[in-house]
Amino acid sequence: MAYTQIPLPYDFAALEPHIDAQTMQIHYGKHHATYVSNLNAAIEKHPELLSKSPTELVKQVQTVPEDIRTAVRNNAGGDVNHTMFWQIMKPNGGGKPTGAIADAITGSFGDFETLKKEFNDAGAKRFGSGWAWVIMNSAGKLQVTSTPNQDNPMSDGHKVIFGNDVWEHAYYLKYQNKRADYLAAWWNVVNWDEINKRLATK
Ligand code: MN3
């Protein structure tokens, strides 16, 4: 028994021109795959942890035995973050948010443009590698945050609604040093239906 990578829900080229096929192929086929294989390698030392899902491992990372805690934090995080990432994108996505997430955005940020600006700023200012996130805070409002590496706000008890990968591997082949251009283009592939599902989940 071992952890496995979810199938990519669309073809490598499906998010063109906003995310190019070669980036998707390397990102899914090499980077994400390596997080899963490294997670499996770490768990071999404590196979009883296989009863937990990668999401549970991320949520409970402080309870993971210390000798593999950093490996689990980085690689269960890498798996969970990318599993979310592939699902909250789709071909011909984007446009204005719909349904409950549209109301939540208006209630929390005033309007969609303000959310986009805050989220893009969080992604642009993340030094080095990491993620920009929209979480549900304890007051029931959406909030923008960011983490380094493959850290996930779930480890601090937050509910994650969606996030964007701002590691260079997510955009460098097409956008080179222009991370802000990637962040702006990314909204064209957002899957609001999937984000509404995540918002509705406990
Ligand atoms: Mn990545």
Side-chain angles (χ1 to χ4, degrees):
M1 207 174 112
Y3 296 110
T4 54
Q5 193 177 13
I6 63 153
L8 192 67
Y10 33 74
D11 296 338
F12 292 132
L15 305 180
E16 294 259 15
H18 310 293
I19 301 180
D20 61 286
Q22 191 185 11
T23 293
M24 288 298 296
Q25 192 163 5
I26 297 169
H27 199 176
Y28 174 83
K30 303 290 183 193
H31 291 277
H32 184 191
T34 300
Y35 295 122
V36 176
S37 61
N38 286 348
L39 175 61
N40 284 320
I43 292 287
E44 276 178 18
K45 293 179 190 141
H46 295 277
E48 72 281 2
L49 289 178
L50 275 172
S51 64
K52 296 181 191 288
S53 68
T55 298
E56 288 171 323
L57 291 173
V58 169
K59 285 182 176 171
Q60 306 161 16
V61 72
Q62 291 310 326
T63 70
V64 170
E66 204 173 351
D67 63 329
I68 64 164
R69 192 178 303 154
T70 298
V72 168
R73 175 176 172 170
N74 291 337
N75 294 295
D79 179 41
V80 167
N81 294 349
H82 289 88
T83 296
M84 176 279 305
F85 189 55
W86 311 133
Q87 292 177 321
I88 57 110
M89 299 189 290
K90 69 171 186 179
N92 305 311
K96 289 205 162 82
T98 53
I101 191 67
D103 297 336
I105 288 168
T106 305
S108 303
F109 298 96
D111 56 44
F112 179 41
E113 288 308 311
T114 303
L115 160 66
K116 277 211 286 199
K117 185 177 182 314
E118 276 191 39
F119 187 87
N120 290 355
D121 281 353
K125 288 176 183 158
R126 167 51 55 194
F127 184 74
S129 299
W131 291 74
W133 303 101
V134 171
I135 61 166
M136 179 70 77
N137 70 22
S138 52
K141 295 276 191 191
L142 300 179
Q143 187 180 323
V144 169
T145 184
S146 128
T147 58
N149 306 316
Q150 294 298 348
D151 290 354
N152 185 302
M154 287 194 299
S155 299
D156 295 319
H158 297 298
K159 172 171 168 164
V160 169
I161 308 303
F162 64 93
N164 190 1
D165 190 341
V166 301
W167 285 58
E168 284 186 345
H169 68 226
Y171 63 86
Y172 208 84
L173 293 178
K174 182 176 173 75
Y175 296 93
Q176 293 84 46
N177 59 314
K178 298 183 284 289
R179 187 190 286 183
D181 290 358
Y182 160 71
L183 284 159
W186 179 78
W187 295 98
N188 291 306
V189 295
V190 167
N191 181 346
W192 292 114
D193 293 337
E194 185 64 27
I195 288 172
N196 269 310
K197 280 188 207 161
R198 295 179 61 87
L199 183 67
T201 306
K202 281 229 166 169

